[in-house]
Amino acid sequence: MAKAFAVMLLLFNALGLNTGIKLDGNGYTDILVAINPAVPQNENIINQIKAMITSGSEYLLMAMDNKVFIKDVKILVPPNWSGSYEKARRETYDKANIIIDSPHPAYRDEPYVKQMKGCGEESEYIHFTPNFLLNDNLLNAYGPRGKVFVHEWAHLRWGVFDEYNEKEPFYFSQNQQIQPTRCSTQVSGHWFEIINGHATLCRYDDTWLPTKECQFFPDKDQKTSASVMYMPSLDSVTAFCHEGDHNIEAPNTQNQKCDNKATRTVIFQHSVDKDALQTLKPLQSAPPAPKFTVIQRRSRVVCLILDVSGSMQGQRILRLQQAATIFLREIVEEGAYVGIVKFSTSADIISSLTKIEGYARESLISKLPDTASGSTNMCTGLKLGFEVLQQDDKSAVGDDVIFLTDGEATDDIQSCLKSAVNSGAIINTIAMGLSASNVLVTMANQTDGKFIVADENLISNQLVDAFSSFTMSDGDLTKLTIQLVSTGSSTTGWFNGTVPIDRTVGNSTTFTIIYERSAPTVSIHAPSGSAYDQTRMTHNAATKTLTLNIPGTAEPGDWRYSFFNTESTAQAMTLTITSRAARDDVPPVMVKAQMNQLASDGSKPMVVFAEVSQNHVPVLGAKVMATLQSDTGYSEDLFLLDNGAGADNFKNDGIYSRYFAKLISGRYSLKVRVIPQEGAIRGSHNRNSGALYVPGYIVDGKVQLNPQKPPVSVQSADVGRFIRTATGESFVVNVPKGVTTKFPPAKITDLRAKIQVDTIFLSWTAPGEDFDFGTVESYDIRWSKHLKTILYNFRNATPVNTSALHPQEATLDEQFSFLPEVAIKNGTTLFFAIQSQDKQALKSEVSNIAQVTKFVPSPKPPEISEPPLKLIISIVTIACAVAILACIIATITVWALKRKKAVKESGGA
């Protein structure tokens, strides 16, 4: 096994990765923009994309010291757009870095980035709407498109965060002044409420901070050049905040997520490009404009290349038939073209490319191989598979391969890799069993395919899950087959359960039962009481499957199933349920699963992510479990959390996550299940990363208002009971011999502070002995009146006596209160942080910094409606003029009196 891993890592180093954005010299390449099929065809959208990125490239070059620019961009148009476009290679909608889609239900036309990982890590994608690209009326509020693009690019590529905070737009600074949440503090302006179209002075709450109706209006003319991540709409802003002008006090996301570091520091010292950015030399002349290629992907073309060598005999060839049957019958899209190749010592075409329509699915299923013999000649199988893919247009470019094997190659695998990469096909690989070649990992990575580990155990249903995960979307989720259930059991009697089918799915609903030896007695009951038994199911005795296709749209509600094992001894049975959207205009609830990395040497924990959403809107309160199973037999179940602590970056964003810290060498499968329960809701979560909507500007002493920001149109709604299953790409753990994977407690990221009279109340989510598992030994809590002390010299801050604090188990809520030993004056701001320690004296990173200001409110003056800003300025100007005139008169009077006195004294002498 160790030798196999070494070979795999050698191949990684030799060939590198072929996925995602690349920095080629000073230019970024392989950027993919994808347009959703819901967007009506409009060639001006393509023109505007080009214009935005071209101007963005110029702005990016300026903001990054002439070091980087945008070099190469592909624009993927939907298959339903007519016209002559280049054929897409390995570009697919779900791999896009930038998507052009209908307005978000909650954010409308606001540009934003789906940013689910930590500081310095690449994000998922940028979302722009057609209206943002085409409607110039939005530019005053957000800024020029090119500058907005760079703001979002910094989120996407470098993992920095916003330097504003719409929830906390104002704060008390350390010197007890009210400040707008901004970076840098050199951005000048005033804050007002807008009432009936007029600017009035802000009202204040009980802590004398401005009320939520108060907004900051920047001066249109500024002297500062920072910062892109605060307000790119300002003409003067051409730079990212550096440490010299960074506002470390502001309660914005950048400070909260990046330990109060400036955005420029994160980009140059912590991002994926940090090494290149520190060594790249600035360009001495202007680079060329970005190169754009408009591409299109039409019908899916896929070839199954299946290993039928001798080691596949028995249960493995049967599992192959069962899983491939579900793929051909339920998963592959209508209108796609499918071919099948088998290989062992030699290779044969089982089926040429066949369009999926009518009886084609069953015809292909009937041709699946059922016998195995010979050796494992991978290159022969791949070569013949590429020939099948070329049958439609004499090219395999952009086509899809599902390549399954359970053994090591007996031929020249290097030549196989080169030809596979050069083919232009997307190669998805399945490693079945411990002996399956590790080159499958590299082949999938090099061709933008998926690598999946599967065993032959029937109950695990892994091979069915693997084939079920090979969907390809053009962005229209209503066309996708969704796996609701994948479960198994070994029993001597009944195998029972309840499956909720929610209102977002129901079409093409299929129940597939796979049994070990003999067909069970089946009873399936719809919510209304309608019953289905084996007489209404399709039975294939050769592949040991029973299939029930629910006619029309399946009833929403709880479906009950009961399978009875008629044999006297236990036998294994599995149930797989798939379905599609109930309506073309209602996207279904979806689940996506992934790891934060696909290879680990055990030096740091990995993170499991599962996104639960409907049409980009998060589903909150779901119960999500991830199962990680190694091909060596080790397995772990993790309940994923959306609590904004530990591995979870943002609370209530529909991204559920957890650390995977018990790293043992092996190749792991990833399966995520949403377990039915009451209380899950479709939330109206605020976006975490996106350009700021500016309410207006101050120009020549007047407030110029932008159009009012549209209100959020999505309200929280009960989504009802639902169930989903998703299979993520497999990943590899290779811990060197002798290396332990003992980790410290996770960093606390959600520390909060309150003060009542003189008592401090702290709360946070408990970390664990190993990141977020177990219980820490102790907490070290410290505070200071000076932010820089707690930020840069934690050990020099004032310690708190925590002898009465008994740590809770990881993920539970911690609460602690204490009375500082020194008196705290009214108006004083205090800063707090925590470091936890485990039984081996390993310490966590210092937590986020929580701050609180002691404030004893005085009676509030009566609220007075103030005049518009122009009149305020006029009044102030007149008052100043009167004061100056009074001073002049007083000065002249004093001078005259002194003069008169001097004359008298002179005459009297």
Side-chain angles (χ1 to χ4, degrees):
M1 177 66 73
K3 182 178 179 182
F5 277 123
V7 171
M8 181 199 67
L9 293 174
L10 178 64
L11 291 170
F12 266 133
N13 293 334
L15 296 172
L17 292 178
N18 195 47
T19 57
I21 299 168
K22 297 183 183 65
L23 182 55
D24 180 13
N26 295 80
Y28 284 103
T29 67
D30 294 337
I31 300 166
L32 178 61
V33 182
I35 302 173
N36 192 282
V39 175
Q41 183 163 359
N42 184 342
E43 293 298 319
N44 198 31
I45 290 176
I46 296 176
N47 296 332
Q48 288 294 85
I49 292 170
K50 293 178 179 179
M52 174 180 68
I53 296 178
T54 299
S55 63
S57 179
E58 296 169 358
Y59 183 57
L60 179 67
L61 188 69
M62 183 190 312
M64 294 294 290
D65 309 332
N66 285 344
K67 284 194 170 185
V68 292
F69 66 99
I70 305 299
K71 185 176 182 179
D72 175 71
V73 179
K74 292 183 176 65
I75 302 173
L76 179 66
V77 301
N80 58 351
W81 281 29
S82 60
S84 178
Y85 305 103
E86 288 191 27
K87 181 180 179 182
R89 294 179 63 87
R90 293 173 176 134
E91 301 86 5
T92 59
Y93 186 88
D94 56 2
K95 296 172 187 171
N97 313 111
I98 303 164
I99 61 172
I100 312 301
D101 198 357
S102 303
H104 187 284
Y107 317 149
R108 306 307 301 163
D109 289 310
E110 295 186 63
Y112 73 93
V113 173
K114 180 183 172 186
Q115 192 167 9
M116 55 191 265
K117 297 175 185 174
C119 183
E121 297 186 76
E122 283 191 89
S123 301
E124 306 310 301
Y125 58 77
I126 302 171
H127 181 287
F128 292 115
T129 67
N131 197 38
F132 177 80
L133 294 173
L134 301 173
N135 186 352
D136 289 346
N137 293 333
L138 297 172
L139 301 187
N140 278 336
Y142 292 108
R145 294 186 186 92
K147 297 180 77 172
V148 173
F149 170 79
V150 173
H151 177 100
E152 309 304 345
W153 172 268
H155 286 307
L156 175 76
R157 179 64 179 177
W158 299 317
V160 295
F161 294 87
D162 290 320
E163 291 176 324
Y164 62 87
N165 188 337
E166 291 182 307
K167 292 183 179 179
E168 294 183 60
F170 300 94
Y171 68 98
F172 272 115
S173 68
Q174 200 166 306
N175 60 6
Q176 301 179 23
Q177 290 183 342
I178 296 174
Q179 291 284 355
T181 301
R182 68 202 192 283
C183 190
S184 79
T185 55
Q186 299 304 310
V187 175
S188 61
H190 301 273
W191 49 95
F192 299 96
E193 288 184 38
I194 302 301
I195 300 177
N196 296 326
H198 295 285
T200 67
L201 293 182
C202 289
R203 294 166 292 174
Y204 294 82
D205 60 23
D206 290 339
T207 66
W208 281 102
L209 281 175
T211 61
K212 64 181 181 179
E213 291 81 15
C214 187
Q215 300 179 82
F216 178 68
F217 290 79
D219 294 322
K220 188 65 175 174
D221 293 327
Q222 299 279 343
K223 295 180 180 179
T224 181
S225 63
S227 166
V228 173
M229 300 313 293
Y230 172 54
M231 198 175 286
S233 57
L234 296 174
D235 293 338
S236 68
V237 170
T238 57
F240 293 97
C241 250
H242 57 74
E243 295 299 338
D245 53 20
H246 178 55
N247 179 9
I248 63 172
E249 289 188 354
N252 56 38
T253 317
Q254 172 65 21
N255 281 334
Q256 293 164 358
K257 299 298 180 183
C258 295
D259 296 328
N260 299 75
K261 293 183 178 71
T263 53
R264 184 181 171 89
T265 300
V266 173
I267 293 168
F268 277 82
Q269 297 181 17
H270 302 281
S271 75
V272 67
D273 294 326
K274 61 182 183 297
D275 295 333
L277 291 174
Q278 291 173 18
T279 57
L280 277 175
K281 301 221 171 162
L283 295 171
Q284 298 304 308
S285 59
K291 175 188 174 184
F292 294 95
T293 308
V294 184
I295 57 178
Q296 187 177 46
R297 177 176 294 280
R298 295 191 182 274
S299 296
R300 184 182 185 187
V301 179
V302 59
C303 185
L304 308 185
I305 305 177
L306 308 174
D307 184 353
V308 293
S309 61
S311 56
M312 288 289 294
Q313 285 181 356
Q315 292 300 310
R316 288 186 177 178
I317 196 74
L318 178 60
R319 298 288 171 267
L320 184 156
Q321 285 181 283
Q322 294 162 343
T325 294
I326 289 178
F327 174 80
L328 294 170
R329 183 175 286 148
E330 312 299 339
I331 305 300
V332 70
E333 303 83 2
E334 195 77 8
Y337 291 84
V338 178
I340 305 174
V341 166
K342 66 177 181 179
F343 72 93
S344 56
T345 307
S346 59
D348 295 295
I349 298 174
I350 294 177
S351 175
S352 299
L353 286 184
T354 303
K355 187 175 183 179
I356 299 298
E357 59 182 359
Y359 184 70
R361 294 180 186 271
E362 297 305 319
S363 175
L364 288 168
I365 290 169
S366 68
K367 297 175 183 178
L368 288 170
D370 57 5
T371 58
S373 64
S375 58
T376 309
N377 195 329
M378 291 186 186
C379 291
T380 301
L382 284 165
K383 181 180 178 182
L384 195 58
F386 296 146
E387 290 180 13
V388 170
L389 292 175
Q390 293 169 8
Q391 291 174 350
D392 60 333
D393 61 0
K394 299 182 180 180
S395 172
V397 169
D399 294 339
D400 213 7
V401 167
I402 298 176
F403 183 85
L404 179 148
T405 183
D406 71 342
E408 293 283 352
T410 57
D411 46 16
D412 181 9
I413 196 63
Q414 286 287 356
S415 64
C416 267
L417 274 173
K418 291 177 182 177
S419 62
V421 172
N422 292 335
S423 72
I426 302 167
I427 303 180
N428 305 289
T429 60
I430 303 174
M432 193 172 184
L434 282 169
S435 299
S437 174
N438 282 301
V439 78
L440 299 179
V441 182
T442 310
M443 191 180 297
N445 278 321
Q446 281 293 303
T447 62
D448 287 359
K450 295 179 181 179
F451 166 69
I452 306 286
V453 170
D455 62 30
E456 64 197 76
N457 182 283
L458 176 57
I459 294 177
S460 74
N461 217 27
Q462 283 187 0
L463 198 57
V464 167
D465 295 338
F467 272 92
S468 298
S469 72
F470 294 132
T471 58
M472 183 175 288
S473 173
D474 61 7
D476 183 355
L477 300 181
T478 64
K479 296 178 182 177
L480 283 181
T481 298
I482 300 168
Q483 191 176 25
L484 306 184
V485 172
S486 172
T487 186
S489 177
S490 180
T491 178
T492 56
W494 290 98
F495 177 19
N496 302 318
T498 301
V499 178
I501 294 182
D502 58 282
R503 295 183 182 278
T504 69
V505 294
N507 283 339
S508 303
T509 302
T510 302
F511 289 68
T512 302
I513 303 161
I514 300 174
Y515 56 87
E516 186 177 5
R517 294 186 300 275
S518 60
T521 302
V522 176
S523 178
I524 298 174
H525 291 267
S528 63
S530 300
Y532 302 86
D533 59 21
Q534 59 265 36
T535 63
R536 301 183 66 178
M537 304 181 78
T538 301
H539 182 205
N540 188 324
T543 59
K544 297 182 170 58
T545 58
L546 288 159
T547 305
L548 172 64
N549 296 308
I550 304 298
T553 303
E555 296 177 40
D558 286 347
W559 288 66
R560 293 180 294 108
Y561 63 85
S562 298
F563 313 142
F564 182 71
N565 177 16
T566 57
E567 293 198 346
S568 58
T569 57
Q571 74 164 331
M573 292 179 281
T574 66
L575 172 64
T576 303
I577 304 177
T578 59
S579 189
R580 294 188 182 182
R583 292 167 47 187
D584 290 341
D585 60 341
V586 178
V589 174
M590 300 290 294
V591 178
K592 298 178 182 178
Q594 70 177 77
M595 301 296 295
N596 67 327
Q597 58 199 68
L598 294 178
S600 173
D601 61 3
S603 60
K604 60 182 180 180
M606 305 179 77
V607 180
V608 191
F609 295 103
E611 179 187 8
V612 188
S613 62
Q614 183 186 15
N615 193 25
H616 302 300
V617 178
V619 174
L620 312 180
K623 189 175 183 180
V624 184
M625 174 179 279
T627 298
L628 302 91
Q629 184 170 331
S630 167
D631 55 2
T632 60
Y634 175 71
S635 180
E636 184 167 352
D637 290 330
L638 302 175
F639 274 108
L640 308 186
L641 304 172
D642 186 16
N643 61 354
D648 192 61
N649 214 29
F650 291 101
K651 184 176 182 178
N652 291 339
D653 64 349
I655 309 294
Y656 298 75
S657 54
R658 199 76 184 270
Y659 285 113
F660 175 46
K662 296 180 181 178
L663 299 177
I664 299 172
S665 293
R667 298 181 299 192
Y668 287 78
S669 62
L670 169 62
K671 181 175 181 176
V672 167
R673 291 173 293 150
V674 176
I675 300 170
Q677 65 169 5
E678 303 292 343
I681 62 170
R682 191 179 73 161
S684 55
H685 177 73
N686 291 327
R687 65 191 184 132
N688 296 311
S689 304
L692 176 63
Y693 189 99
V694 182
Y697 305 93
I698 297 175
V699 182
D700 296 330
K702 299 179 183 178
V703 172
Q704 289 187 357
L705 296 178
N706 288 322
Q708 188 175 0
K709 184 177 178 179
V712 172
S713 59
V714 172
Q715 302 298 323
S716 297
D718 187 352
V719 297
R721 280 165 48 84
F722 71 100
I723 189 169
R724 295 291 187 274
T725 300
T727 299
E729 289 189 61
S730 294
F731 60 96
V732 177
V733 175
N734 182 25
V735 181
K737 287 185 178 179
V739 175
T740 60
T741 57
K742 173 65 180 173
F743 297 111
K747 174 183 176 179
I748 294 168
T749 59
D750 62 345
L751 177 63
R752 301 170 295 277
K754 292 182 179 180
I755 187 169
Q756 293 182 4
V757 188
D758 289 322
T759 301
I760 304 296
F761 294 87
L762 300 178
S763 59
W764 67 94
T765 301
E769 175 82 3
D770 290 308
F771 272 81
D772 57 7
F773 291 90
T775 305
V776 300
E777 181 70 10
S778 62
Y779 292 113
D780 182 2
I781 302 177
R782 294 177 183 257
W783 66 275
S784 176
K785 297 178 183 178
H786 306 287
L787 174 59
K788 290 186 177 179
T789 298
I790 203 82
L791 184 60
Y792 303 123
N793 298 288
F794 176 75
R795 304 302 301 173
N796 292 336
T798 304
V800 175
N801 184 351
T802 58
S803 58
L805 176 57
H806 302 291
Q808 300 282 327
E809 187 178 353
T811 75
L812 298 180
D813 292 334
E814 292 274 25
Q815 295 182 346
F816 182 67
S817 61
F818 68 97
L819 193 66
E821 296 178 359
V822 295
I824 307 299
K825 294 181 180 179
N826 191 33
T828 301
T829 298
L830 306 179
F831 302 92
F832 303 87
I834 304 179
Q835 188 174 47
S836 54
Q837 180 173 297
D838 66 15
K839 295 179 180 64
Q840 284 74 41
L842 295 177
K843 295 181 178 180
S844 71
E845 296 180 51
V846 176
S847 72
N848 68 295
I849 296 171
Q851 69 183 69
V852 67
T853 300
K854 181 178 179 179
F855 183 80
V856 179
S858 57
K860 294 176 66 175
E863 295 179 359
I864 300 174
S865 178
E866 299 292 343
L869 177 62
K870 185 176 180 181
L871 184 55
I872 293 170
I873 292 175
S874 299
I875 292 171
V876 171
T877 303
I878 293 170
C880 290
V882 170
I884 292 169
L885 182 60
C887 289
I888 293 171
I889 293 171
T891 301
I892 293 172
T893 301
V894 170
W895 177 83
L897 290 173
K898 286 183 178 181
R899 176 78 175 169
K900 184 175 183 180
K901 182 178 180 182
V903 169
K904 274 187 179 182
E905 290 176 350
S906 175

